[in-house]
């Protein structure tokens, strides 16, 4: 069954973008005795504004406020998992409390009617040792080494994929039949062929070549030429001892040295290309098995999220923005251009009204000028993009530096942020502090330019979260992932924000969603494309690119 194409790191617009409006009903984080070690740069006003009066009052009652600042304990390592914490420390929705659900994390349950793919293949690539061949010499110019991959062949000729796809297709047929539905077997299998091709093209964007499949051969040739230049320099500088004297290599000896190194590097390039394809094919089979579960396996008593989106962006005067940008580029409308725009709009008005004497009023003339400026700027899409970017820039003034240090030279926003992570909205950073309190520091958080999908793009409300516990199929340890997701829920409840995670392990998604009664974890695994429609990368959340992508709606 063809995998649905949904927006990059965004859920299905047809029914999975939503929120639940849960009221804050959470205990404040526990306050440790050693207050000097780590402090959260948060005022009581911040807590009151973000988490509500109840949490603020509880903090005051706990003596956790001093000189207007709130101190949160950050655990250096979790002493207990969230599943093991006492019930009074776990924040639950009112519905969850009414159902008297257990405080332990639910177990993941695998479906077994359709086999899972074979074990992860060995993809290690090693570089051989050059062997000098007398008389050998490099070619006049390098060409891309023959990698032997036939992209026109079904599943690119990768062994084992076609038989497994037959199992997947039969799984789709059997599960649909169980609910009195049918599938077109041939069309379903054909969709797998197309999807594999597109995924592998994008998967190479995650390779050491740094480009999608369409650019791999050129990238390999660039690397080969760079290696050749390096070998040539090394051979030119090399000296040997002969008859007690040091001498440079002869031209023939230099050629032998260079070609010996190139023979090894050419094979190394081919091995890397084939190895990356092998890993991608295995990961594709693994994820498409999860996709079968996401689509066909029910999640009991799980409500869809509705209206899940970040707050409205700050207002930007698009007309003023366009005029200022045009002026900065010395491209403002000239007087003749303004007159022509008004005349054309007036001519259209006369045609539409069938009144040869109709004229534009002042507002109509201004509208005609704005339309001409929009066209000169690049069209309405360009104006919309520029206005959004300007609005995001306004919002970014409230971002915090996640690498900021406190007075004790410790990470003010927690020690979990990746080195290259960009800033985030203050509420997002506060959420991470609460997540540390709920889970400990056994995870990492990252944000980057343009992070997020749909209305979340570049809004400082999206974080990639990873935990170190993984298993052989490329996903996180299921029990640990479930505990982590429930800790996210408690932290989000404490801060008063809505959340959604993109993660492709169905057993974890079902366990968490059924526990919470809402579809908080959804699957996204598709290809990314540029404006021209060319495949550039994959947008996956396991197993090839394993992480929790978290969006916070506030």
């Amino acid at each position: 069954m063809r995998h649905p194409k949904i927006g990059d790191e965004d859920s299905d617009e047809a029914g999975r973008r939503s929120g639940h409006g849960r009221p804050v009903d959470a205990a404040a984080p526990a306050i440790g005795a050693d207050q000097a070690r780590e402090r959260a740069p948060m005022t009581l006003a911040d807590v009151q504004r973000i988490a509500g009066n109840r949490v603020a009052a509880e903090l005051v009652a706990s003596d956790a406020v001093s000189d207007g600042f709130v101190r949160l304990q950050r655990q250096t390592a979790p002493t207990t998992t969230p599943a093991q914490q006492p019930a009074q420390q776990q924040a639950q929705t009112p519905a969850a409390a009414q159902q008297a659900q257990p405080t332990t994390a639910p177990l993941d349950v695998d479906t077994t009617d359709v086999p899972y793919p074979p074990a992860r293949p060995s993809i290690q690539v090693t570089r051989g040792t050059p062997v000098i061949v007398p008389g050998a010499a490099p070619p006049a110019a390098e060409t891309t080494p023959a990698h032997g991959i036939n992209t026109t062949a079904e599943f690119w000729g990768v062994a084992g994929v076609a038989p497994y796809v037959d199992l997947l297709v039969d799984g789709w047929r059997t599960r649909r039949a169980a609910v009195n539905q049918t599938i077109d077997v041939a069309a379903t299998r054909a969709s797998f062929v197309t999807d594999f091709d597109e995924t592998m093209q994008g998967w190479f964007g995650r390779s050491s070549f740094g480009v999608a499949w369409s650019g791999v051969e050129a990238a390999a040739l660039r690397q080969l030429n760079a290696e050749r230049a390096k070998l040539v320099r090394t051979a030119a500088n090399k000296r040997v001892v002969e008859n007690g004297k040091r001498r440079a290599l002869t031209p023939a000896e230099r050629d032998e040295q260079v070609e010996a190194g190139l023979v090894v590097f050419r094979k190394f390039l081919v091995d890397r290309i084939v190895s990356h394809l092998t890993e991608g094919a295995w990961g594709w089979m693994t994820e498409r098995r999860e996709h079968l579960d996401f689509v066909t396996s029910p999640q009991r008593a799980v409500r869809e999220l509705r209206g899940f989106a970040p707050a409205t962006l700050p207002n930007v005067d698009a007309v003023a923005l366009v005029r200022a940008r045009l002026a900065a580029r010395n491209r403002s409308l000239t007087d003749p251009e303004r007159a022509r725009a008004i005349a054309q709009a007036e001519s259209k008005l006369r045609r539409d009204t069938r009144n040869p004497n109709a004229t534009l009023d002042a507002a109509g003339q201004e509208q005609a000028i704005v339309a001409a400026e929009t066209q000169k700027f690049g069209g309405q899409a360009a104006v919309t993009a520029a206005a959004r970017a300007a609005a995001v820039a306004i919002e970014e003034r409230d971002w915090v530096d996640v690498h900021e240090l406190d007075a004790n030279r410790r990470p003010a926003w927690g020690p979990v942020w990746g080195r290259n992570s960009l800033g985030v909205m203050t509420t997002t950073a506060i959420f991470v502090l609460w997540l540390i309190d709920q889970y400990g520091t056994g995870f990492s958080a990252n944000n980057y330019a343009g992070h997020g999908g749909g209305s979340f793009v570049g809004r400082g409300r999206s974080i990639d979260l990873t935990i170190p516990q993984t298993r052989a199929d490329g996903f996180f340890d299921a029990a640990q992932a479930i505990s982590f997701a429930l800790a996210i829920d408690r932290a989000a409840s404490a801060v008063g924000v809505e959340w959604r995670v993109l993660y492709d392990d169905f057993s974890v998604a079902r366990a968490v969603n059924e526990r919470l009664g809402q579809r908080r974890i959804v699957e996204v695994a598709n290809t990314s494309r540029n404006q021209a429609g060319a495949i550039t990368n994959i947008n996956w959340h396991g197993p090839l690119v394993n992480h929790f992508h978290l969006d916070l709606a506030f």
Side-chain angles (χ1 to χ4, degrees):
M1 187 69 67
R2 181 71 177 276
H3 195 279
K5 297 298 178 183
I6 50 186
D8 285 359
E9 296 202 324
D10 203 7
S11 59
D12 187 359
E13 294 287 348
R16 292 189 182 135
R17 296 196 45 168
S18 44
H20 70 315
R22 173 175 53 216
V24 174
D25 185 16
I31 306 300
D34 184 8
Q35 296 292 346
R37 289 200 308 135
E38 298 214 28
R39 312 287 178 99
M42 192 190 314
T43 67
L44 183 62
D46 288 330
V47 176
Q48 190 173 25
R49 174 174 56 84
I50 299 301
N53 292 330
R54 175 176 175 177
V55 172
E58 290 174 346
L59 286 172
V60 173
S62 68
D63 295 326
V65 180
S66 176
D67 297 327
F69 286 91
V70 179
R71 293 173 174 82
L72 297 180
Q73 178 188 22
R74 298 186 188 83
Q75 304 167 8
T76 56
T79 55
T80 60
T81 65
Q84 296 169 329
Q85 294 176 354
Q88 62 266 27
Q89 292 183 11
Q90 297 196 26
Q92 295 182 337
T93 65
Q98 291 171 6
Q99 295 172 12
Q101 293 181 341
T103 58
T104 57
L107 297 176
D108 65 308
V109 179
D110 290 331
T111 55
T112 58
D113 58 319
V114 179
Y116 284 84
R120 188 171 196 151
S122 174
I123 57 169
Q124 184 175 3
V125 174
T126 58
R127 191 165 174 175
T129 302
V131 177
I132 303 295
V133 177
E142 295 294 331
T143 57
T144 303
H147 47 66
I149 297 173
N150 181 7
T151 60
T152 65
E154 184 180 72
F155 305 117
W156 293 25
V158 179
V161 177
Y164 187 71
V165 166
D166 290 338
L167 295 175
L168 283 177
V169 172
D170 192 59
W172 279 97
R173 182 190 60 77
T174 302
R175 291 193 185 183
R176 291 304 196 197
V179 291
N180 298 317
Q181 296 178 0
T182 61
I183 67 167
D184 185 326
V185 172
T188 299
R189 194 177 191 285
S191 73
F192 276 117
V193 174
T194 300
D195 186 71
F196 179 91
D197 176 76
E198 293 180 349
T199 302
M200 291 307 102
Q201 290 184 54
W203 166 234
F204 274 89
R206 302 267 178 170
S207 70
S208 57
F209 300 99
V211 291
W213 176 256
S214 59
V216 164
E217 292 185 348
L221 184 58
R222 287 193 297 271
Q223 292 184 18
L224 180 56
N225 283 324
E227 180 68 14
R228 177 168 176 159
K230 177 182 175 182
L231 291 169
V232 167
R233 290 193 301 270
T234 300
N237 294 328
K238 188 171 183 179
R239 297 294 183 267
V240 295
V241 177
E242 187 177 82
N243 297 326
K245 296 182 179 180
R246 298 179 75 249
R247 68 169 178 84
L249 299 180
T250 65
E253 290 172 331
R254 290 198 298 270
D255 283 348
E256 292 169 356
Q257 296 268 345
V258 170
E259 180 61 9
L262 287 174
V263 167
V264 170
F265 193 75
R266 292 182 194 115
K267 184 177 186 307
F268 181 59
L269 283 175
V270 170
D271 287 348
R272 281 165 49 203
I273 293 173
V274 174
S275 173
H276 195 73
L277 174 60
T278 300
E279 182 182 25
W282 164 82
W284 179 84
M285 290 187 288
T286 301
E287 204 291 326
R288 290 334 185 210
R289 173 59 179 80
E290 296 298 320
H291 179 61
L292 172 63
D293 279 349
F294 269 101
V295 174
T296 63
S297 296
Q299 298 183 48
R300 296 176 294 275
V302 174
R303 303 186 305 278
E304 297 288 346
L305 293 173
R306 300 295 176 190
F308 184 81
T312 304
L313 278 164
N315 289 326
V316 170
D317 187 337
V319 173
L321 175 67
V322 168
R323 284 178 179 167
R325 296 277 180 89
L326 289 175
R329 302 169 188 169
N330 293 319
R331 299 191 65 231
S332 297
L333 290 185
T334 63
D335 288 342
E337 287 174 333
R338 292 165 66 92
R340 183 164 56 252
I342 293 172
Q344 290 174 345
E346 199 164 72
S347 177
K348 182 177 184 305
L349 175 65
R350 290 170 179 173
R351 291 195 303 272
D352 292 344
T353 60
R354 297 182 180 181
N355 180 0
N357 298 317
T359 58
L360 293 173
D361 57 15
Q365 292 182 1
E366 174 65 10
Q367 186 176 3
I369 292 170
V370 168
E373 290 172 330
T374 297
Q375 184 177 7
K376 196 167 187 178
F377 191 78
Q380 186 57 52
V383 172
T384 300
R388 186 185 190 281
V392 170
I394 294 172
E395 195 173 57
E396 283 181 1
R397 297 170 189 169
D398 294 328
W399 284 22
V400 298
D401 177 6
V402 296
H403 306 295
E404 176 187 356
L405 300 179
D406 63 16
N408 297 310
R409 305 300 296 170
R410 296 183 181 276
W413 299 104
V416 299
W417 291 96
R419 178 183 303 176
N420 298 321
S421 190
L422 298 183
V424 294
M425 294 290 289
T426 302
T427 302
T428 305
I430 292 173
F431 161 84
V432 170
L433 293 178
W434 283 84
L435 182 56
I436 291 172
D437 182 84
Q438 291 293 319
Y439 189 78
T441 56
F443 69 95
S444 64
N446 287 279
N447 182 41
Y448 54 86
H451 196 188
S455 56
F456 285 90
V457 172
R459 298 288 301 276
R461 293 163 166 85
S462 300
I463 327 172
D464 284 346
L465 300 171
T466 60
I467 56 177
Q469 300 88 353
T470 57
R471 60 184 196 237
D473 66 357
F475 287 109
F476 297 127
D477 173 79
Q480 202 67 35
I482 292 168
S483 293
F484 188 48
L486 296 179
I488 289 173
D489 185 67
R490 293 192 298 273
S493 180
V495 179
V497 297
E498 298 293 346
W499 69 278
R500 175 196 60 192
V501 157
L502 311 181
Y503 182 57
D504 298 342
D505 185 339
F506 174 74
S507 64
V508 170
R510 178 171 62 182
V512 173
N513 292 342
E514 290 185 351
R515 163 67 179 270
L516 300 177
Q518 287 188 308
R519 201 177 302 274
R520 293 288 177 183
I521 301 182
V522 298
E523 173 206 27
V524 171
N526 53 38
T527 52
S528 303
R529 298 173 182 267
N530 59 21
Q531 291 184 341
I535 295 172
T536 57
N537 211 319
I538 62 171
N539 179 39
W540 277 38
H541 302 83
L544 296 177
V545 193
N546 189 36
H547 64 287
F548 276 20
H549 171 89
L550 173 69
D551 290 320
L552 298 174
F554 57 87

